[in-house]
C-alpha cells in the first residue's frame, strides 16, 4: 500500500476545521455546471471529515485568473451546485484567507461546509509563497488534499499548507494513489503498458520510464509510425516524427536491456485522407503506399495485444491506438479497450488508465466503467507515468 497519511489516520476531529483542497475546476455552460463528476468525487472526503466531527472549508482554483480577482472565475456558483450534489447546505465566502474567511468558518454549524473563493486570485498561490501559505493555514487545523489532478504543481493549496498543518490525502486522492501504486509502484507482474497517441515527442520521458518498469510496452497511434519508420518501414505520408528515429532506436535498445518486450503494430489500416469513413484498407507493414496514411492498427495487431493482455496481470494505458475520433479508425482502440475491460471483469487483469484523450477514447469504447480505475487527471497522471515525484503527493507522505 502506498505510504501516505489518510483521513482514517486523523483521529477525532470534533471542533476542528479541515482545509480541503478539491478539484472544482468544472466545465460550465450558461453559468451552470455542465459536468459534475468532480463535485461528486469530493463527496466521500467531505463526509468522512464531517463524520469525524470536523467543519470543512473547501479550497479550489477555477480557471487561470493569474493573481487577479476575475469575476467570471469566481467559485461562487459552484457552492449551490455542490450543495445539491452532497445534499447539505454549503456556504460561500469571497476570500480564501483573512479575518472575514475565518469569521465565516467560525459561523458554520458543527460539521458545516463552506467553499472559499478561488485560490488563484492570489499571485502567491502558484508560486507556493510561504507568507500566503501561513495566512491560509490560519483558517484550519488540518490540511486534506483531494486534488490529484493538481498534485504535479507545487502551489500553496497543494503543497505549502502541508508546511503548517498536518496533511492527509482525501478519499479521491487515496483511491487514485492506491490505484497508481497497484499499477506501477508495486504491481502484480507481468505488467503491460499500452501507450498511444499522436507523437513520440510529447511522451519521450514516459516511454523511457516505462521500458525500465514494465514487461511489455504496446506502442500504437501516430507514435508507432515513428518506431516503424526507425525500423525501416516506409510509412508513406503518415504522421511520423522522422527526426526522432534515433530516440525511437534508443528506447528499443533500452527496452531490450531491461527485458521489456516492445509490441508494435504487425498490420495497419491505411487511408488516403484523414476523414471519417475515408476509403481504407488493411495492409501489412511493407505495403504502405507513398500517398497513404496509417490511421489505425489492424486486427492482427489487436489479436497480438489480446495475447499480451492474457499473459499480463496488470495493465496501464495512456493514449489511443489510432485516430479514434474518426470512424472506422477507432476500431483497434475500441477492440483493445473492450478486451482489457473484459479481463478486468473476469478478474484476470488490473487495468488503470488516464491522461487527456485516454478517458475520451475509453468512454467512446464503452469500456471505461469496467476498468479497475480511470484517472481523470491529465498532466499529473502523465508526470506520474513518467516516474516523476509529484510535489502534492510528496507533501502527504509519512
Ligand atoms: P495524444 O494527445 O498524444 O494522446 O494523441 C491523441 C491523438 O492522436 C488523437 O487525437 C488521435 O486522433 C491521434 N492519433 C492517433 N493515432 C493517429 C494516427 N495514426 N495518425 C494521426 N493521428 C493519430
Amino acid at each position: 500500500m502506498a505510504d501516505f497519511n489518510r483521513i482514517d489516520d486523523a483521529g477525532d476531529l470534533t471542533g476542528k476545521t479541515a482545509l480541503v483542497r478539491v478539484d472544482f475546476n468544472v466545465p460550465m455552460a450558461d453559468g451552470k455546471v455542465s459536468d459534475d463528476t468532480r463535485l461528486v468525487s469530493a463527496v466521500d472526503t467531505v463526509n468522512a471529515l464531517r463524520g469525524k466531527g470536523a467543519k470543512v472549508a473547501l479550497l479550489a482554483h477555477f480557471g487561470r485568473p493569474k493573481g487577479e480577482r476575475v469575476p467570471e472565475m469566481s467559485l461562487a456558483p459552484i457552492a449551490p451546485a455542490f450543495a445539491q450534489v452532497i445534499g447539505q447546505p454549503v456556504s460561500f465566502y469571497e476570500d480564501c484567507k483573512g479575518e472575514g474567511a475565518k469569521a465565516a468558518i467560525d459561523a458554520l454549524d458543527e460539521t458545516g461546509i463552506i467553499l472559499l473563493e478561488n485560490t488563484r486570485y492570489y499571485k502567491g498561490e502558484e508560486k507556493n509563497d510561504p507568507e500566503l501559505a501561513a495566512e491560509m493555514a490560519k483558517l484550519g487545523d488540518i490540511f486534506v488534499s483531494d486534488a490529484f489532478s493538481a498534485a504535479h504543481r507545487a502551489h500553496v493549496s497543494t503543497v505549502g499548507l502541508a508546511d503548517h498543518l498536518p496533511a492527509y490525502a482525501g478519499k479521491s486522492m487515496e483511491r487514485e494513489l492506491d490505484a497508481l501504486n497497484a499499477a506501477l509502484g508495486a504491481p502484480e507482474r507481468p505488467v503491460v503498458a499500452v501507450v498511444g497517441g499522436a507523437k513520440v515527442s510529447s511522451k519521450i520521458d514516459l516511454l523511457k520510464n516505462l521500458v525500465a518498469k514494465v514487461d511489455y510496452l504496446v506502442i500504437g497511434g501516430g507514435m508507432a509510425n515513428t518506431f516503424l519508420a526507425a525500423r525501416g518501414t516506409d510509412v508513406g505520408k503518415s504522421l511520423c516524427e522522422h527526426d526522432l528515429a534515433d530516440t525511437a532506436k534508443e528506447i528499443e535498445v533500452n527496452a531490450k536491456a531491461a527485458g521489456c518486450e516492445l509490441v508494435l503494430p504487425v498490420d495497419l489500416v491505411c487511408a488516403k485522407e484523414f476523414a471519417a469513413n475515408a476509403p481504407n484498407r488493411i495492409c501489412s507493414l511493407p505495403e504502405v503506399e507513398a500517398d497513404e496514411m496509417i490511421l489505425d492498427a489492424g486486427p492482427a495487431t489487436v489479436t497480438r495485444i489480446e495475447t499480451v493482455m492474457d499473459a499480463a496481470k496488470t495493465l496501464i494505458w495512456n493514449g489511443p491506438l489510432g485516430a479514434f475520433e474518426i470512424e472506422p479508425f477507432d476500431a483497434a482502440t475500441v477492440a483493445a479497450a473492450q478486451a482489457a475491460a473484459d479481463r478486468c471483469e473476469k478478474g484476470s487483469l488490473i487495468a488503470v488508465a488516464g491522461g487527456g484523450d485516454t478517458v475520451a477514447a475509453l468512454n467512446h469504447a464503452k469500456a471505461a466503467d469496467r476498468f479497475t480505475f480511470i484517472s481523470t487527471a491529465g498532466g499529473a497522471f502523465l508526470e506520474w507515468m513518467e516516474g516523476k515525484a509529484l510535489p502534492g503527493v510528496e507533501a502527504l507522505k509519512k
Side-chain angles (χ1 to χ4, degrees), residues 196-199 202-203 221-222 225 239 274 294-295 319-320 322-325 357:
K199 291 182 170 178
S202 61
K203 294 187 185 169
N225 302 340
L239 175 65
F274 189 96
I294 303 165
L295 292 181
F324 78 99
E325 301 95 334
D357 269 347

Side-chain angles (χ1 to χ4, degrees), residues 6-16 48-54 142 166 168:
R6 298 161 194 259
I7 292 176
D8 292 347
D9 305 327
D12 181 40
L13 296 173
T14 306
K16 303 217 160 130
L49 291 163
R50 295 174 66 237
K52 285 174 163 284
I142 68 166
Y168 302 89

